[in-house]
Amino acid sequence: MQFGIFTVGDVTADPTTGRTPSEHERIKTMVAIAQKAEEVGLDVFATGEHHNPPFVPSSPTTMLGYIAARTERLILSTSTTLITTNDPVKIAEDFAMLQHLAGGRVDLMMGRGNTGPVYPWFGKDIRQGIPLAVENYALLHRLWREDVIDWSGKFRTPLQGFTSTPRPLDGVPPFVWHGSIRSPEIAEQAAYYGDGFFANNIFWPKGHFQKLIELYRRRYAHYGHGTPEQAIVGLGGQVFMRAKSQDAVREFRPYFDNAPVYGHGPSLEEFTEQTPLTVGSPQEVIEKTLQFREAFGDYQRQLFLMDHAGLPLKTVLEQLDLLGEEVVPVLRKEFAVGRPADVPDAPPAHPALARA
Amino acid sequence: MNELKLVAVTAGLGKPSSTRLLTDRLATAVTEHAGAGSAVDVHVVELRDLAVDIANNLVSGWPSSALGAALEAVSDADGLIVVTPVFAGAYSGLFKSFFDLVEPEALTGTPVLLGATGGTARHSLVVEHALRPLFSYLHALTLPTAVFAATDDWGAGADTYGGGLPARIDRAGREFADLLARLAGDGIPRARVERDARAAGQDELDGPGGQGEADVVPFEQLLAGL
């Protein structure tokens, strides 16, 4: 089982001090957090992709390439890469290059984004969101698997005799996840290709995601990739910990109350009751995370959101210490118990990693 | 015999409120005119009780369980009665916010009886210029007769022409009951049949126990549809 963190890369004022970090500071912070993730024994660092303030990560492979050079084991990923508004040719090139530089420690997650104006900014029509995701990924999939392609489609200029370079490391493309919070079409897409499905369940109650994941598992089997239980599932999570539960609540509350996306809405108590958010002791985080398996079945990757809403770097690093030292070792052990032998405990690793 | 699911959404803020009073009277009138032959299950949704949940849903993206149940009741109704107080010349913000959260197709074909309350009869056309376009947008089937109750209508100074408010409520109840009966046809209200057909299209999430694999849009079809 893989454990890691995913970051939105927001530049948000610390509500307890009123101080807003600069973009430069935030970018350096993200790198420090990624390095810390490796240091404390986590497996994955994933960055979001955004093209508007207050977010800094517009250029994920640049950042991941830099992190690749400063880490040795960490798998570098995205959450998500915009399959709708990026040119699939550029995605193919950028991530193949990253794969070579990182020695295969790369996978990526496709998403459609949640910011409407990004579509027109990149010359696309938001009403075509699903068709764009379908066509662009079909092209990306071929670009990594066929050396020379002839292609024409609805949304991009045609390609004749085109070769995407560099070719994937050892001829093996990066593993791909498809992220969705709402669309059954995306679960279907992940199932069709035998790719992973990531349900970012951090904002929504679980019943909705149970249906989506169940659909993905069923269709994964339908397309002959394995049993429903063997499908590759990833989940989100969000935690804030202190040794004493009440200390965690007291410290996190101002960040929660003012957080982008859900701040000034439901109370911390309502939110923790209805979503995966856990604010409490490491033991409480362990208990809540173990419940995910009961709801969604044995799964392969757990990513936590740890560094948003203006939390200072020092606090985030302390959180990662707790996660790496007290939470993840227990989760690894517990998740291994009862996992059937024929259910993978991680997404497929690049063959280059076995040699390393 | 099929039980008719009548849901009344009421946006009055006082307790008690004249908006709730009008809502209850309309529901009673519809039930009486539905006659002995058909059982009517009346379910009242008080938006006042859901005000904070509605605001939270707007900012967080998901409903509380109480609000979720109310939205489901409205989506599953065979007939809807909707009553709002007039605020600033239109329906109240709370009323609109609730209907902003109803799924876009959920009210397609649903019969709706419109009602509103206000301080004076000068607001009476609010049912025509504010309420009716909203429900037309949602593809609901609004009854041509709508009921507006001004404060005076509850006592002295009431408009007594043609029997006043009680007669207008009675007429609306009779016409709405007739509409529901006609739409019911062979006993299953048409709104419910259409809604079930729509739901079947969305039930790919519900697995083989429900509507079956036929409801998934297969990926080849998504590719071919480009």
Side-chain angles (χ1 to χ4, degrees):
Chain A
M1 177 106 173
Q2 293 178 344
F3 295 89
I5 53 176
F6 60 150
T7 178
V8 187
D10 58 316
V11 177
T12 302
D14 181 334
T16 64
T17 62
R19 187 176 173 282
T20 307
S22 68
E23 287 184 323
H24 179 72
E25 202 178 333
R26 183 67 172 108
I27 290 164
K28 290 296 195 181
T29 299
M30 290 169 74
V31 172
I33 288 168
Q35 287 180 265
K36 181 74 172 182
E38 172 160 297
E39 186 192 316
V40 301
L42 300 180
D43 308 301
V44 185
F45 172 82
T47 175
E49 176 188 333
H50 298 274
H51 299 277
N52 56 315
F55 308 102
V56 292
S58 56
S59 183
T61 53
T62 309
M63 172 172 277
L64 295 178
Y66 182 83
I67 295 171
R70 301 172 77 93
T71 53
E72 285 172 3
R73 292 184 308 99
L74 198 62
I75 295 168
L76 308 164
S77 188
T78 58
S79 56
T80 62
T81 292
L82 303 179
I83 187 63
T84 44
T85 48
N86 281 308
D87 181 356
V89 171
K90 199 70 177 85
I91 297 177
E93 294 171 342
D94 283 346
F95 282 86
M97 177 64 85
L98 180 62
Q99 234 194 347
H100 282 274
L101 293 172
R105 290 184 285 132
V106 173
D107 59 34
L108 69 163
M109 190 197 302
M110 298 298 161
R112 283 177 295 143
N114 59 1
T115 307
V118 171
Y119 284 84
W121 287 334
F122 285 79
K124 301 291 191 285
D125 179 350
I126 194 169
R127 293 167 297 181
Q128 298 291 332
I130 294 275
L132 278 163
V134 170
E135 177 176 301
N136 286 350
Y137 185 64
L139 173 56
L140 175 61
H141 197 264
R142 282 187 61 195
L143 286 165
W144 276 337
R145 286 166 177 82
E146 298 172 37
D147 286 341
V148 183
I149 77 164
D150 298 333
W151 178 89
S152 72
K154 194 170 162 189
F155 299 113
R156 189 197 189 284
T157 196
L159 297 166
Q160 293 297 329
F162 182 78
T163 299
S164 170
T165 63
R167 304 302 301 144
L169 179 62
D170 301 336
V172 180
F175 184 73
V176 170
W177 302 81
H178 299 264
S180 176
I181 55 171
R182 199 164 171 129
S183 307
E185 291 92 339
I186 299 302
E188 170 72 5
Q189 183 183 32
Y192 177 80
Y193 289 103
D195 293 339
F197 183 66
F198 188 90
N200 188 8
N201 49 327
I202 65 175
F203 297 132
W204 282 44
K206 76 178 176 197
H208 172 78
F209 288 101
Q210 283 174 313
K211 288 181 177 181
L212 216 47
I213 290 171
E214 204 276 322
L215 169 70
Y216 161 66
R217 289 187 183 281
R218 185 157 41 88
R219 299 297 287 173
Y220 182 93
H222 168 82
Y223 286 113
H225 301 297
T227 65
E229 295 74 23
Q230 289 169 334
I232 306 297
V233 171
L235 296 172
Q238 191 186 1
V239 300
F240 188 87
M241 294 168 280
R242 288 298 178 199
K244 283 191 201 153
S245 196
Q246 55 274 42
D247 292 343
V249 172
R250 192 179 317 120
E251 186 177 344
F252 190 63
R253 190 181 298 279
Y255 295 95
F256 176 88
D257 286 348
N258 294 288
V261 183
Y262 55 65
H264 308 286
S267 69
L268 177 60
E269 285 69 20
E270 289 168 309
F271 209 87
T272 45
E273 189 195 309
Q274 295 173 15
T275 77
L277 173 67
T278 312
V279 183
S281 65
Q283 187 54 37
E284 286 171 279
V285 170
I286 290 166
E287 283 163 18
K288 181 104 164 213
T289 310
L290 287 173
Q291 288 171 11
F292 294 179
R293 173 165 67 174
E294 290 161 33
F296 304 110
D298 285 298
Y299 62 109
Q300 285 71 29
R301 176 175 288 183
Q302 172 66 52
L303 297 182
F304 293 102
L305 176 65
M306 306 295 290
D307 71 329
H308 76 140
L311 286 164
L313 177 61
K314 179 171 172 290
T315 307
V316 175
L317 297 180
E318 288 165 5
Q319 292 296 306
L320 291 176
D321 276 328
L322 288 168
L323 193 65
E325 285 164 17
E326 298 191 28
V327 175
V328 165
V330 180
L331 289 178
R332 282 193 203 282
K333 210 176 294 169
E334 291 293 327
F335 276 123
V337 175
R339 184 190 289 269
D342 62 347
V343 171
D345 63 358
H350 194 279
L353 296 182
R355 295 197 306 269
Chain B
M1 185 180 60
N2 248 299
E3 193 171 61
L4 212 56
K5 288 189 276 187
L6 185 63
V7 176
V9 177
T10 182
L13 295 180
K15 270 203 171 178
S17 79
S18 57
T19 302
R20 174 65 195 257
L21 190 56
L22 177 60
T23 306
D24 288 342
R25 296 211 166 191
L26 287 169
T28 304
V30 174
T31 308
E32 281 171 9
H33 285 288
S38 46
V40 182
D41 172 38
V42 180
H43 175 67
V44 180
V45 174
E46 273 272 12
L47 296 187
R48 183 189 196 281
D49 298 341
L50 298 169
V52 172
D53 292 12
I54 289 168
N56 279 342
N57 190 351
L58 291 171
V59 297
S60 75
W62 82 83
S64 66
S65 56
L67 177 57
L71 289 167
E72 198 179 318
V74 164
S75 303
D76 285 350
D78 297 317
L80 268 185
I81 297 172
V82 300
V83 190
T84 177
V86 176
F87 281 13
Y91 33 67
S92 74
L94 179 62
F95 182 86
K96 176 64 160 58
S97 294
F98 177 76
F99 284 99
D100 285 347
L101 298 173
V102 172
E103 289 294 324
E105 292 295 321
L107 297 188
T108 301
T110 302
V112 178
L113 171 56
L114 308 172
T117 59
T120 79
R122 281 192 292 276
H123 291 301
S124 56
L125 280 174
V126 85
V127 289
E128 302 304 329
H129 70 67
L131 280 165
R132 200 176 300 282
L134 171 61
F135 288 92
S136 296
Y137 176 83
L138 294 169
H139 301 291
L141 199 56
T142 55
L143 185 75
T145 298
V147 180
F148 180 88
T151 304
D152 281 350
D153 282 322
W154 302 104
D159 165 26
T160 54
Y161 178 77
L165 181 61
R168 287 187 277 126
I169 289 171
D170 185 66
R171 173 180 175 166
R174 184 179 70 244
E175 290 176 359
F176 199 58
D178 282 352
L179 177 63
L180 293 177
R182 254 180 290 141
L183 290 174
D186 60 359
I188 303 169
R190 189 176 304 168
R192 194 186 297 173
V193 173
E194 288 171 1
R195 189 174 47 239
D196 289 349
R198 282 197 303 278
Q202 292 159 359
D203 268 357
E204 66 261 51
L205 292 179
D206 288 340
Q211 303 295 326
E213 295 291 325
D215 302 314
V216 188
V217 180
F219 197 73
E220 289 88 346
Q221 204 173 313
L222 288 174
L223 276 173
L226 288 169

